[in-house]
Amino acid sequence: MVQFDNQSRQIKLKIVYYGPALGGKTTSLQYIHRAVDPTRRTQLYSLNTSNDRTLFFDLLSLDLGVIRGHKLTLQLYTVPGQVQYDATRRVVLSGVDAVVFVADAQKNQLQANIQSRKNLEENLVANKIDPATIPLVFQLNKQDLSPLTPATELNRMINPQGAPVFLTTATSGRDVMETFAAISKSAVAGAGKRLGIDGDEKALHRLQEQVRKALTPFIDADRQASTEMASEPNEAVEIQTLLPSDQPLEEIELMQEAVHANLAMTDLNSQLDTTRRRLEHTIEALGSISQFGRKLSTLRNPRDILQNLLEAACKHLYAQGGAIMLFSAGSLREFKVKFLIQDPLLSEVSPSGSSLADQMVKEKSPMLITLDPTRLQQTHVEKVIEAADCISAIVIPLVAQDFLLGLLTLYRDHDRLSFDDEDLQLATTMALNTSAAYSNAANWLKLQKTNQNLETQVAERTRDLESSLSEVKVLNTDLSEKHHALKQAFTDLEEMGRLKGELLARVSHELRTPVSSLLTAAVILADDEPPPPEVGARFVKIIRTEAERLSEIIEGVVQAAILAAAAEAPIRSDTDMNELIDSALEPLRPSALKREVDIRLDVQSGLPKIPCDPESLTTAVQAITKNAIDFNETRGSVDIKVSRNPDKNDEIAIKIRDSGTGIPPDDLPLVFDAFWQGGNIMTGKPPGIGLGLTIAKRVAENHGGSLSIFSDAGAGTEVVFSLPG
Ligand SMILES: Nc1nc2c(ncn2[C@@H]2O[C@H](COP(=O)(O)OP(=O)(O)O)[C@@H](O)[C@H]2O)c(=O)[nH]1
Ligand SMILES: [Mg+2]
C-alpha cells in the first residue's frame, strides 16, 4: 500500500522479492545495494540465522527522487523461503505494491518454484491484495548453472498470465538491475493509479520519467558493480545474527518479532532520515542567511535591495520561479519576475478587478501553499498553482514598520520537494530583513535629497552674502576715499587757515616799517618850512623805496590769493610753452637787467601745445625765475630749458637753472614750506614773503605733475617743473 507521509513529504512503495528458499532473493538485494548510488540508499538490513539463511526478511530503502513534491522511497523486502516461515511471508507481504518472483531455474527446483508461486497467490489473497492486478516481474535465476528447466517451460508453469521475465544470475548481477527497473516502473505506475493520476497522462509520464532518471545511473553502474562483486565481500551488508541455529521458532513468536522488527526499523529509519534532512536543511538555511545578510549589507540602492531578495530567495530556497510585486496606485504591480513570464497570482484577476495577489497580500502574514495529492478538494489558490505546473508556493507580504510595500512569491514545480515550514521561515527572515533595508535605503535617499537641497540653499545664501559683502566693500572703499578726501580738504583748510594767520602777521610786520617811514617822510615834506633840496631828495628816495616795498607786500598778498586758488582744479587750455614763458619773463626783465643777470630761454622745437592753466603756470614760472634772479650773483645767468622728459616721454620738463650761491643741503627740505626764505632775515633778506616755491609746487601737483629741486651750495640751483603733456 502506497504510504504518504505529509510531515516528512514521503511516498513509500513496498516491493517484495518472493520465491523458494535459496533461490537468490537476498543475493539480488545485495547486488542492488552495491550497485546504487550510496547517497540514495540505506544500509541493507538482513536478519539471518548463523548459516546465512534469511530468517525474517531483508530490507533495503532506496530514494528515487521527488514526485509531486514528495520524496519517493522504494522499500525492498525479501521473504524467508522455507516452507515453515509462511506466517512471516504473509506479514512481509502486507501492503505490498509490487512483487519480484525469484525462481530457482535449476531443474531439481521446479516443484519448489511451483509451490512457492502458489504460496504467493495464497498470501496475497490473505492480505486482501488482488493477485491479478498486483505488479509482478519474474526473475529466473541461477542461469549460470545446469541442468536448468527451460525458461519457456518454467514460465508456463509459474507465469501463465505473461508478466515480464528476466533470466538472471544474481551472484554476478546479470540482469538484476533490469529486473529492478522493470518492477520499479510497474510499482510507480500502480502507485499512480492509487494516487488518482492514472487518467492524467502528463502526470503519469512525469512519474515514469522520474523513475527512469533515478534508475539510469544504477543501471549504468551495473557492469562496474558486477566486477567489484567478485573481489569484495559483502562488507556493506549489515548482518545481525539472531539465532544460533536453524532451530525453528514458534510461528506466533516469529510473527510478532517480525512485525516489531519491521515497525521499529522502518520507524527508526524514517526518523533518522527526517532528522538528518532537518539538520542539513537548518545548516544550509543558516549559511544562506549569512550569505544573504553579507550581500544585503553592501547594497544602498532600494531597487538593488529588492532584486537581491528575489535572486537570493530563488537560489537558496531552490525555487523554480518567483516574483516581487510592489504597490502602485493601491494595487500590486510586477517589479521583477524570475524564471516566469508573469506571476500566476498576479495574472489571476477576479471579476471585481483585483488580482489574487492583491487579495492575499491583505492577510499580511507569510503563507505556505502545498498541493496535497491525496486531497480531492482544492482551494482557489491551489488550483492556480497547479495550473501553473507548480507543486508548492511561498507567499510573503513585504512589510516595513507596519507599512505594506509589496509581495514576494516563490514557486517549486513537480521536480522538487514541496516547500516546508523551514523554507517558509527562511524566506520570511529574508523578506523581513529586505523590507527593513529597503525602507532604510529609501529614507536615506530622501534624507540625501533634503540635504542636497539644503546645501544648494546654503550655497545660494552664501553667494548672496558674498555679493552683498563685496558691495559693502566697494561702499567702504568709496567711503574711505571720501573720508580721505575730506581729511585732505580739512588739512588743506587748516593749512589755509594757518597760512592766512601767518600771512596776516607777516603783512602787518612788513607794513609797519614802510608805512612809518612814509609817514615820517610825508610829515617832513609837508612841513611849513620845506627842507633843503638835498634833504628833500633823500626823503623822496625814501618814499620811493618804501613804496616799492609796499608794492612787494601787495604782490605777496596776491600770491597768497593765487596759492588759495591753486588748491582747486586747474582750468586747462592748450598753450604754447614758448609764448607762455616768454610773456611770463617780461615783468622780470627789469630786475634782471638791474642785477645784470642774463636770462636765456631754450624751448625744444616742435613741442605741441600743452593742456594747462596758463594763468597759474605763468605765476609758477615767474615765482621760480624770480628766485633764480634774486638769489643770483651780479652778472650771473638763468637758463630756462623746456623739453620733453627723455626718461618719461609723456612729460614736459621746465628746467630753471641759476648760477647763484645754491642752497645748503640742510635747507633743501624746507624750500617748499610757505614763508620760508633763504638768507638771513635780519641782515640780507631778499624781497618777497617766501611763497614762490610753495605756489609753484602746488600748481605743478594740481596739474598732475611735480616740482623738484637740485642744489649744491656754491654751485647754483636747478628747479624742475614737470607736467603731463
Ligand atoms: N551459481 C549461482 N548461485 C547463486 C545464484 N543466486 C544465488 N546463488 C547462491 O544460492 C545460495 C542462496 O542464495 P540466497 O540469495 O541466500 O537465497 P534466498 O534464500 O532466496 O535468499 C547462496 O549460496 C548464493 O550464493 C546464481 O544466480 N547462481
Ligand atoms: Mg534470503
Side-chain angles (χ1 to χ4, degrees):
M1 177 63 74
V2 183
Q3 292 177 47
F4 283 101
D5 182 347
N6 267 330
Q7 183 64 32
S8 60
R9 309 236 182 283
Q10 257 190 335
I11 302 173
K12 287 180 193 161
L13 290 179
K14 186 174 185 179
I15 299 171
V16 174
Y17 278 65
Y18 212 93
L22 300 174
K25 302 179 288 296
T26 300
T27 309
S28 294
L29 246 60
Q30 284 172 346
Y31 182 82
I32 293 168
H33 178 263
R34 288 187 158 263
V36 297
D37 176 0
T39 63
R40 286 184 176 267
R41 57 149 165 83
T42 62
Q43 293 175 330
L44 171 62
Y45 298 94
S46 291
L47 298 172
N48 295 342
T49 61
S50 57
N51 56 0
D52 275 0
R53 300 285 298 275
T54 302
L55 179 58
F56 299 126
F57 51 81
D58 305 304
L59 170 60
L60 172 66
S61 276
L62 291 178
D63 171 11
L64 280 197
V66 177
I67 289 168
R68 287 178 72 89
H70 284 62
K71 197 162 109 177
L72 178 63
T73 304
L74 294 189
Q75 290 187 318
L76 277 56
Y77 287 81
T78 64
V79 291
Q82 292 100 309
V83 179
Q84 68 268 35
Y85 295 140
D86 191 45
T88 310
R89 281 196 292 276
R90 201 174 306 148
V91 171
V92 172
L93 261 190
S94 93
V96 71
D97 292 294
V99 178
V100 176
F101 189 90
V102 183
D104 190 334
Q106 292 180 94
K107 227 176 182 127
N108 57 5
Q109 293 300 312
L110 185 60
Q111 276 314 308
N113 288 327
I114 292 169
Q115 195 185 345
S116 177
R117 176 69 184 86
K118 193 164 158 270
N119 179 253
L120 168 65
E121 192 111 354
E122 288 163 5
N123 280 334
L124 284 172
V125 172
N127 275 299
K128 300 194 169 56
I129 297 167
D130 181 3
T133 56
I134 185 87
L136 183 62
V137 169
F138 285 85
Q139 193 175 312
L140 308 186
N141 197 34
K142 301 196 183 178
Q143 291 299 319
D144 58 320
L145 297 180
S146 63
L148 298 175
T149 310
T152 43
E153 190 188 336
L154 187 53
N155 211 20
R156 186 162 41 80
M157 305 293 285
I158 59 173
N159 183 20
Q161 64 269 58
V165 174
F166 293 86
L167 304 182
T168 64
T169 305
T171 40
S172 73
R174 176 189 153 188
D175 276 355
V176 172
M177 289 310 292
E178 280 73 5
T179 315
F180 177 54
I183 197 64
S184 300
K185 272 191 185 176
S186 306
V188 170
K193 255 180 230 160
R194 280 173 240 192
L195 282 170
I197 55 166
D198 56 333
D200 182 349
E201 282 298 315
K202 220 162 103 185
L204 207 60
H205 177 71
R206 208 164 37 229
L207 217 61
Q208 303 271 17
E209 255 320 276
Q210 193 75 37
V211 174
R212 191 190 60 75
K213 252 198 298 192
L215 286 178
T216 305
F218 299 172
I219 296 167
D220 288 347
D222 193 1
R223 205 149 285 114
Q224 172 85 9
S226 67
T227 51
E228 282 171 9
M229 283 283 272
S231 55
E232 284 179 36
N234 287 343
E235 59 184 29
V237 181
E238 282 277 300
I239 296 169
Q240 290 189 19
T241 303
L242 285 187
L243 296 172
S245 69
D246 281 354
Q247 205 65 45
L249 291 175
E250 283 299 318
E251 193 166 303
I252 190 73
E253 280 177 312
L254 278 174
M255 216 159 86
Q256 278 169 356
E257 289 298 327
V259 171
H260 286 314
N262 186 0
L263 285 177
M265 264 197 295
T266 313
D267 208 41
L268 195 69
N269 205 21
S270 101
Q271 270 178 32
L272 273 175
D273 209 55
T274 309
T275 311
R276 180 182 55 84
R277 231 186 100 245
R278 282 254 152 78
L279 266 175
E280 280 173 1
H281 205 78
T282 309
I283 290 166
E284 205 182 318
L286 281 174
S288 302
I289 284 184
S290 107
Q291 206 179 329
F292 171 75
R294 268 204 305 276
K295 180 80 195 285
L296 192 64
S297 67
T298 64
L299 299 173
R300 290 280 169 274
N301 184 312
R303 291 183 70 84
D304 292 348
I305 287 171
L306 287 182
Q307 188 138 347
N308 177 55
L309 170 65
L310 187 60
E311 295 288 339
C314 282
K315 180 181 162 200
H316 296 302
L317 289 158
Y318 303 102
Q320 272 103 346
I324 285 183
M325 294 158 251
L326 292 180
F327 273 106
S328 165
S331 56
L332 286 172
R333 299 271 183 280
E334 178 189 303
F335 166 75
K336 199 92 201 162
V337 287
K338 196 167 168 69
F339 307 130
L340 295 174
I341 295 164
Q342 200 186 5
D343 190 284
L345 298 179
L346 194 62
S347 47
E348 181 73 13
V349 180
S350 75
S352 69
S354 71
S355 68
L356 194 53
D358 278 319
Q359 293 158 33
M360 291 176 80
V361 77
K362 285 186 192 134
E363 297 293 319
K364 275 198 175 183
S365 51
M367 277 164 272
L368 172 66
I369 300 127
T370 303
L371 299 191
D372 183 348
T374 56
R375 230 183 41 221
L376 295 173
Q377 288 288 322
Q378 281 186 327
T379 63
H380 184 196
V381 177
E382 284 172 347
K383 277 181 193 157
V384 170
I385 288 170
E386 178 147 64
D389 257 349
C390 291
I391 190 79
S392 180
I394 281 178
V395 180
I396 302 176
L398 300 173
V399 184
Q401 288 146 6
D402 219 26
F403 179 73
L404 207 48
L405 301 171
L407 193 69
L408 165 73
T409 54
L410 298 168
Y411 300 94
R412 274 190 191 163
D413 68 14
H414 293 268
D415 287 342
R416 299 266 165 100
L417 273 178
S418 296
F419 288 119
D420 60 19
D421 290 335
E422 280 175 38
D423 294 326
L424 183 69
Q425 244 175 19
L426 177 60
T428 306
T429 309
M430 284 180 171
L432 273 174
N433 283 315
T434 298
S435 301
Y438 175 83
S439 106
N440 281 347
N443 286 339
W444 174 247
L445 271 188
K446 263 191 224 158
L447 208 73
Q448 250 186 343
K449 244 186 199 156
T450 316
N451 231 7
Q452 258 171 10
N453 283 346
L454 240 118
E455 271 172 22
T456 317
Q457 279 178 16
V458 167
E460 274 171 14
R461 292 272 183 289
T462 309
R463 261 203 306 279
D464 287 355
L465 266 172
E466 272 171 0
S467 84
S468 304
L469 197 70
S470 67
E471 274 170 28
V472 168
K473 266 185 188 163
V474 169
L475 275 175
N476 197 27
T477 314
D478 206 30
L479 219 66
S480 74
E481 271 170 11
K482 290 223 164 86
H483 173 73
H484 192 72
L486 216 66
K487 218 169 141 186
Q488 185 60 48
F490 183 70
T491 314
D492 286 355
L493 222 61
E494 257 187 347
E495 174 73 356
M496 291 301 284
R498 194 183 64 76
L499 285 176
K500 244 189 213 166
E502 198 155 333
L503 182 68
L504 205 63
R506 210 35 105 84
V507 166
S508 56
H509 171 79
E510 293 286 331
L511 277 178
R512 204 168 294 145
T513 318
V515 167
S516 67
S517 298
L518 278 171
L519 275 175
T520 312
V523 167
I524 291 168
L525 285 175
D527 202 24
D528 294 344
E529 271 181 52
E534 70 273 11
V535 176
R538 197 153 51 86
F539 277 107
V540 170
K541 195 181 174 201
I542 287 171
I543 288 171
R544 205 179 57 226
T545 310
E546 293 310 321
E548 271 174 11
R549 268 178 87 173
L550 273 178
S551 157
E552 289 277 348
I553 290 162
I554 290 160
E555 178 62 20
V557 173
V558 171
Q559 281 186 3
I562 290 170
L563 178 61
E568 287 157 24
I571 302 156
R572 294 172 197 260
S573 62
D574 288 344
T575 309
D576 184 297
M577 282 296 115
N578 211 344
E579 276 174 23
L580 184 137
I581 293 173
D582 220 22
S583 64
L585 291 179
E586 210 50 46
L588 300 175
R589 290 209 188 269
S591 72
L593 205 63
K594 194 172 156 192
R595 302 203 63 193
E596 294 177 60
V597 171
D598 187 17
I599 300 176
R600 294 185 292 246
L601 175 61
D602 172 13
V603 178
Q604 190 181 348
S605 63
L607 267 190
K609 289 187 173 179
I610 307 298
C612 64
D613 172 20
E615 206 173 313
S616 61
L617 199 61
T618 301
T619 307
V621 170
Q622 278 176 342
I624 302 164
T625 313
K626 189 174 179 303
N627 280 347
I629 295 165
D630 289 350
F631 292 93
N632 217 319
E633 289 176 339
T634 315
R635 286 187 290 279
S637 62
V638 175
D639 284 291
I640 303 171
K641 201 172 173 186
V642 184
S643 61
R644 218 171 252 294
N645 189 344
D647 300 329
K648 289 183 181 167
N649 206 31
D650 55 352
E651 221 176 69
I652 300 293
I654 304 169
K655 288 182 187 169
I656 300 170
R657 184 178 185 83
D658 65 57
S659 55
T661 50
I663 303 165
D666 289 349
D667 288 349
L668 260 186
L670 308 171
V671 297
F672 295 119
D673 289 355
F675 305 114
W676 184 87
Q677 281 182 308
N680 189 332
I681 290 172
M682 298 308 288
T683 51
K685 190 182 87 64
I689 54 171
L691 285 173
L693 282 180
T694 314
I695 291 170
K697 187 166 189 271
R698 185 66 72 86
V699 171
E701 283 169 359
N702 270 359
H703 276 80
S706 63
L707 191 73
S708 28
I709 187 158
F710 310 94
S711 182
D712 277 321
T717 302
E718 185 180 73
V719 178
V720 181
F721 186 105
S722 311
L723 75 164

